[in-house]
Amino acid sequence: MSAIPDTAVPRQRPAADPVAADPAPAGADDRGGQRPPEPLRSALGSAAARFGPALGLYGAVKLIGFAVFMMLLESSGKFREQSPRFGGGANPWDVVGSWDGWWYRQIAEIGYDPKLIPDPGGFFPVHQDSSAFFPLYPGLVRLVSDGTGLGLYGAGMLVSVVSSFVAAAGIYAVAAHLGGRRAGVIAAAVWGAFPGAGVEWAVYTESLFVALASWACYFTITRQWSQAALVAFVAGLSRPTSMTLIAGVALSAAVALFRRREEGVAGPLTAILLPPLSFFGYIGWVGWRMGHLDGYLTLQRYGWLHFFDWGSYTSTAVSNILVGETAYLFPYPTEDLVAVLVLFALPCLLVPFLSRRPPLVLVVYTLGTLVLALGSQQMFGTLSRFVLPVFPLTIPVALGLRRLSLPSLAVVLGVAGAASGWYAGYVIFELGIP
């Protein structure tokens, strides 16, 4: 489908009056202050015109969902009885810094100490270790904390919230390139109410990763290979599922080289060779520090019971949930029921998405992420969070919703935002494990 231009055309300034008084010095405003240089103001104005509607609508949906999430927490009060490490705290907002957020704050504060220590008599064969968490997010949290004076919780929230808006802009850019501006704006808002969206404004990595993934995909689609390579390289330090993004960028670059669509080879080659270095570099470092080449995989398997099993655990969990049984690891009835609904919704989104013949990078990234999520043993209820990075699935939803009138669209997105405060926030943080 041909792209619809999504950049605003700046209006022409009226010609200067030759009889006017002496012009003010360059960069000065009417009050004698300094204004940003003309190119910078023009760039900011263009960016605001391009991304403003998407970011505004996304922010509105997220604010509604976050408010409902906090209201439900305050209403139940359960968080006051739970450990600050496991979904508790003194205030409702402390909950979004628990679970994995506790690990990220520990890394930001004291760094890594990779080791494999047997856990005799424990539920996990190996002690859990912080090196299971990739370094980009906690590193940024520490950097922001040191630079602003915020505590690690505040710095983590700042990184996540800012990253979520960068992610919304990236989702808009991809969706608008494929389906027009209106679809792009709606896609950004839909991501704010997606299953698992509660971790977008939490001390979690999803917002940062999706910000990187969406822009890496956009740069790949528009054949800006150097930018795609750099962003994918950084994404490789954010989370293990970044391997699907790296594969999508590399395969797209390889196809471009094979079909000789590029005038040069340096850009595509960079997109093939650079991004994997960060991912395998961190995996290799963990293995070296642990004294096992497969140390990271061993830690995931025996310290977190998370490993690829070709869908065996998912099949067992779903078959139990459908008949009301709990004969599977980590049953959380409400969260798991939401995950089953997400599982049933995936084909309804995937088929229309693939039928539009999207760019290769989006296909590889989407299918690869879903295969890892559905084919691995993990807490089944976390499926909704693991699907959250698959932002291309917002595109068929956006294309369907763009036919609605503005009032109807506002109602649909408002209700979805409010509901997400329950299914994407309260359920996964308080009735399960995010």
Side-chain angles (χ1 to χ4, degrees), residues 106-126:
Q106 288 291 304
I107 298 167
E109 182 177 6
I110 62 176
Y112 290 110
D113 185 20
K115 53 189 175 295
L116 282 178
I117 301 178
D119 188 11
F123 184 76
F124 300 95
V126 169

Side-chain angles (χ1 to χ4, degrees), residues 92-426:
W93 53 84
D94 292 332
V95 172
V96 295
S98 61
W99 299 111
D100 285 2
W102 180 88
W103 284 101
Y104 288 120
R105 285 184 287 146
Q106 288 291 304
I107 298 167
E109 182 177 6
I110 62 176
Y112 290 110
D113 185 20
K115 53 189 175 295
L116 282 178
I117 301 178
D119 188 11
F123 184 76
F124 300 95
V126 169
H127 276 288
Q128 293 180 333
D129 187 274
S130 60
S131 56
F133 299 88
F134 274 49
L136 180 63
Y137 179 75
L140 285 176
V141 171
R142 179 58 181 266
L143 184 65
V144 170
S145 179
D146 290 345
T148 63
L150 290 171
L152 294 176
Y153 169 84
M157 288 296 292
L158 181 60
V159 171
S160 293
V161 171
V162 171
S163 295
S164 75
F165 282 94
V166 178
I171 293 169
Y172 163 81
V174 172
H177 185 81
L178 300 177
R181 286 177 59 87
R182 186 176 175 85
V185 171
I186 296 172
V190 167
W191 187 69
F194 231 47
V199 299
E200 291 173 13
W201 288 7
V203 187
Y204 271 67
T205 64
E206 272 71 15
S207 288
L208 177 60
F209 175 67
V210 174
L212 295 166
S214 58
W215 281 107
C217 289
Y218 177 76
F219 289 137
T220 301
I221 293 169
T222 56
R223 302 187 186 282
Q224 301 179 66
W225 297 114
S226 298
Q227 294 92 322
L230 180 59
V231 175
F233 173 85
V234 176
L237 295 172
S238 61
R239 56 191 291 128
T241 54
S242 62
M243 69 175 73
T244 63
L245 173 67
I246 292 169
V249 172
L251 285 173
S252 298
V255 169
L257 280 178
F258 178 76
R259 294 179 177 176
R260 298 181 179 180
R261 290 182 175 176
E262 309 300 322
E263 294 182 358
V265 299
L269 278 179
T270 302
I272 294 171
L273 300 176
L274 179 62
L277 297 180
S278 57
F279 176 86
F280 289 109
Y282 180 71
I283 296 294
W285 177 81
V286 172
W288 174 71
R289 288 292 299 270
M290 289 182 171
H292 299 266
L293 290 178
D294 62 345
Y296 185 85
L297 296 178
T298 302
L299 176 63
Q300 284 276 18
R301 185 181 185 98
Y302 298 110
W304 304 89
L305 302 184
H306 188 172
F307 59 93
F308 193 79
D309 66 352
W310 303 97
S312 175
Y313 171 76
T314 299
S315 176
T316 300
V318 172
S319 61
N320 271 264
I321 295 166
L322 292 180
V323 296
E325 301 292 340
T326 58
Y328 59 99
L329 284 175
F330 313 118
Y332 292 93
T334 305
E335 184 184 34
D336 293 347
L337 181 59
V338 172
V340 168
L341 296 176
V342 171
L343 180 64
F344 290 163
L346 287 177
C348 301
L349 299 176
L350 192 59
V351 170
F353 168 69
L354 294 177
S355 68
R356 300 184 66 85
R357 297 183 179 181
L360 178 62
V361 63
L362 296 182
V363 174
V364 173
Y365 172 66
T366 298
L367 294 181
T369 303
L370 292 179
V371 167
L372 289 178
L374 299 175
S376 299
Q377 175 178 289
Q378 60 217 358
M379 296 178 183
F380 179 71
T382 58
L383 176 64
S384 60
R385 178 168 71 87
F386 290 151
V387 167
L388 180 63
V390 193
F391 70 89
L393 294 184
T394 64
I395 296 175
V397 179
L399 291 175
L401 292 178
R402 69 178 177 177
R403 299 183 177 89
L404 297 179
S405 65
L406 189 58
S408 298
L409 182 62
V411 170
V412 170
L413 292 178
V415 171
S420 72
W422 177 74
Y423 67 76
Y426 185 80

